Each structure stands twice: as structure tokens, then as C-alpha cells.
Amino acid sequence: MVRRSDGRGLAAGFVLCALAAAPPTARAAAHPATRPPVLRVCSDPNNLPFSNRKGEGFENRIAELIAGELQMTVRYYWWPQRRGFVRNTLGAGRCDLVVGIPASDGQVLATRPYYTSTYVFLSRRSSGLRIRSLDD
């Protein structure tokens, strides 16, 4: 079993990540020569600019680049990135990789953040909205 830095065990999906990242020679023995191995990516089907079913998001492109470097093809498992996303996708063994996830998510081991952003509310003055925080 793979272990996190805090000593707790990882979900089965993380073990698959290690297998997917093996060099092509190691993967070749596990896959038939007639079909390239598949990198299973869990992603939100409607979350632009990050990802969508049409492959128009920048996370779709990152997945394609990773698969290309590993000489694999991408197969998506679509699930809205809401409550339960990690549990129902990576944690359930449905994928090898989630490209984008909040850096503070304690359920997974993640790389250094490759993208940072802030959220703002924007409205017309005449709307009458009195938004002071994300809690509103």
C-alpha cells in the first residue's frame, strides 16, 4: 500500500496513478501491443474553462499532454466536480488521474499548484444586491 506523508493509506486510485506513470517498457508487458494503454481521467463534463465533454478546457489539454508523454490514450470518466467527487471517482477506482483539484483538498496527494485564481461577485449597482462575503 502506498502511504501519504502523514502515514495514512491512500485510496486505490493512487496506486493506479503509480502504474500509469511507469515507463513505457514496464507498461508494455501489462497491455496488448495492438492497443495503446489507456490513462483514465476523471473530470467534470461541464466546467469550462477547466474541462468539458468536447475537450475544450485547459485541463483536457493537460490530460492529453500527460497521456502523450506516457504513450497512452485518454479515456474520460465524467462526474460533476461537486461534493463527493473524489470519493465517487478516484476513490472508487474509476480513474488514474484528476487533473485539477483544490490544493487544500486533504483527500489526495497533489502536485504543486499549476493554477491559482480568485473568485469575485460582479453585479450592477441597480441590482440591489448587498454581497459582502462568499457566505452571503
Side-chain angles (χ1 to χ4, degrees):
M1 173 179 275
V2 178
R3 297 234 171 245
R4 294 170 27 147
S5 60
D6 64 4
R8 296 188 330 204
L10 296 178
F14 290 93
V15 175
L16 293 173
C17 281
L19 292 174
T25 53
R27 285 193 322 270
H31 297 282
T34 57
R35 293 187 345 204
V38 173
L39 179 64
R40 301 173 309 146
V41 177
C42 287
S43 195
D44 191 316
N46 188 26
N47 192 26
L48 286 177
F50 305 102
S51 64
N52 72 355
R53 284 188 194 270
K54 294 180 182 179
E56 299 168 327
F58 66 83
E59 288 180 0
N60 297 109
R61 182 66 183 131
I62 292 170
E64 293 289 338
L65 289 170
I66 292 170
E69 287 292 318
L70 295 171
Q71 299 176 359
M72 301 174 86
T73 59
V74 174
R75 183 177 65 216
Y76 284 98
Y77 180 80
W78 301 110
W79 190 278
Q81 198 162 10
R82 292 176 179 75
R83 185 178 187 151
F85 177 78
V86 172
R87 177 176 30 90
N88 290 300
T89 57
L90 194 64
R94 293 185 169 113
C95 57
D96 305 311
L97 172 69
V98 173
V99 176
I101 199 152
S104 61
D105 190 314
Q107 301 176 76
V108 299
L109 285 176
T111 63
R112 289 177 307 191
Y114 63 87
Y115 177 85
T116 58
S117 179
T118 59
Y119 290 89
V120 297
F121 288 101
L122 182 64
S123 67
R124 296 180 182 181
R125 285 186 185 160
S126 62
S127 71
L129 295 175
R130 301 282 183 229
I131 299 174
R132 293 178 191 85
S133 75
L134 290 174
D135 293 331
D136 293 343

